[in-house]
Amino acid sequence: MTEKAAREIGNMDDYGYSEIVSLVNSLEKNETGLEPYRIAFLRNITIDPMLPYLKLLCFREGMRPEVYMGEYDNVIQEAMDSKSPLYGFQPSLVVVVLRLNGLSRILADDFLGHSPGEIDDERDRVRDYLFQVLTSMRKNIDAPILLNSFEVPPYTDLGILDYQRAGGQGNTIRALNGELREVANRFDNTYIVDVELLQSRIGYGEFVDNRLWHIGRAPYSREALKLLAVEYFKFITAFRGRSRKCLVLDCDNTLWGGIVGEKGIEGIKIGTTYPGSAYREFQEAIIGLFNRGAILALCSKNNFEDVIEVLEEHPEMVLSKEHFVAMKINWNDKVSNLKAIAEDLNIGLDSMVLVDDSEFEAEMVREYLPDVEVIKLPKDPTLYKDILMSSGLFDSLNYSSEDVKRGSMYKAEVKRKEARGGFTNIEEYLGSLGMVINVAFADKLTIPRIAQLTQRTNQFNLTTKRYSEADISGLSNSDDFDILYVSLKDRFGDMGIVGAAILKHENGDSDIDTFLLSCRALGRGVEKVLLKACLDASRKRSARIIAGKYVKTKKSKQVEDFYQRNGFNTIRSGEGESVFSLDINLAQFEVPDYFSDIVSEV
Amino acid sequence: MDVEETVKRIVSDLFEIPVGDLDDSTSPETVEKWDSLSHLNMVLALEEEYGIRIDDNDIVEMVDLKKVCSKVREYLGR
């Protein structure tokens, strides 16, 4: 059995609860070769019935989930005990599940029995408790932490008067949730899971199951547990740098109602009245994702002219030709088209999502391209927007100005590829691009993008270490570290920041902790400019030796000999990791001469 | 729609016992994996399968497989 077998699980919604339990049991027995992902739970409620959902999602993405379930209502004790099995477990992720009625009877169940002063003290006590839990955990582990926010009671202590008062029970708990977020923001890699929002998706009546609470201290319904598992998994996906990048859309009955080849541009449904308004709403949601940083492509079995006419001429279309970086509008099968899109854009199939209303197309793509996530739309277009947004496939934990520009950057890349066709000699082609490189030290404005690169870059990444913005900030402020980045533009467009390196200077030598390049900048020699900058930065510190490491991952095989190819000596070569070093004074390092300009701060 | 067959499938999935080994007297006493926690899982699975909501006192009365089947039939008959 392989990772591929794990991936063929398909859609979790197709399985009943007991089937999922059985499937997870057999996966646990058989899939012993997968990469382990250790999830620890600290909790004051029974949360075990959620595990089959979360475990199935992990297996589906080729991870072997291992769970540590902390003792019931022992959260702060375990967090503060450095010898706790929680830490011995070496979690990849810690989830803190605290329900307010267990943590504060006063706020949850006896609000009116206390004076405003006592309520304020109680709020402080809860906030301090959580601060203490997080502080203790951060003394012991760097792993990401998720913290559930508190449910707001559906029937508050003052009834209809409650909301009118800032100090009412509902508003007090809402304000406390806001404070939770502030507390979490003070720690690295620590995030709030918005339980209030999850609850609002299906309603309190569907979310909380009071029978199970009283019988087994398990307050959440099966639907709620599934929602929680899906939400936790969105975070896990983001931590692993596996957020999807490219949304591929069908046209007929996806972007508009009807088949343009049959009904013509006048006959399709897109506009301000039903059902066209539903399709318009869907297009607006897609533009939202575009603004978030997703790149868009079309894949439709149609005559090219018919679709282009709609994109360019139809007055009610929200999406236009400009939004798409690739358009495969032809009569070829979608599998071939998707592969071509992946190749054109130089992205993996596992970063793509296909949205299509056809069961046939969806099944075929699922069968032949299991790495592509497929969303099959139902008949009712008024459901489309929520189906797309609830998938969370493009959710990530950073958002920078580069994300807004991403679509146009990919379009420029396509133009570059077209220009490439005219040259026989690669150096001539690269010289013709008029590339200008900037090398500089990280600062407040560039830190978000650098952090994002460490989280998303999988191929040209020597050590695949993931850093949050707070991490990069901290290192940047430290005297022992240099954080360098390179940005690239050419005559087709500005690619922004495309690479970064983190240097650690210790005991008179330098160590390259992180060295990576975005896939959009590969094949141009930009890495040589960055490597030279690392040498220069180390030379400035009077370092004698610069060392680099290659940590083996499935996706980074192309750089396993990067240091060797650039003149480093191999110090140690192993199965998982190799170490290289270079004497800085002996280094003879040349940067390609086809760059138009290299501006370096180093 | 055979209630006994479906209930046995669900119980077999949840408690990791072959369907053939299940009978009327199967209970938490005879099955290692049937504990208070997995009992709740069984309730969740039955409710999902049949679209029913089992009262709390009925949950605690499902003390063996025979009782589980008869309770489910009651709810379906209601």
Side-chain angles (χ1 to χ4, degrees), chain A residues 529-578:
Chain A
V529 176
L530 184 58
L531 190 55
K532 177 162 190 302
C534 291
L535 294 180
D536 292 341
S538 304
R539 198 172 283 122
K540 281 212 168 114
R541 301 274 193 137
S542 308
R544 295 171 302 122
I545 305 274
I546 183 166
K549 200 186 277 193
Y550 167 66
V551 173
K552 185 173 176 189
T553 69
K554 230 181 333 255
K555 295 188 168 199
S556 66
K557 201 160 193 311
Q558 66 179 260
V559 291
E560 67 183 347
D561 58 354
F562 172 69
Y563 287 122
Q564 275 167 293
R565 281 185 283 117
N566 284 286
F568 280 59
N569 301 311
T570 308
I571 301 299
R572 189 174 73 237
S573 177
E575 249 311 297
E577 207 173 90
S578 302

Side-chain angles (χ1 to χ4, degrees), chain A residues 123-136:
Chain A
R123 259 175 76 166
D124 289 342
R125 184 187 73 75
V126 169
R127 204 182 44 242
D128 291 345
Y129 175 98
L130 290 162
F131 185 74
Q132 180 72 289
V133 167
L134 293 175
T135 306
S136 308

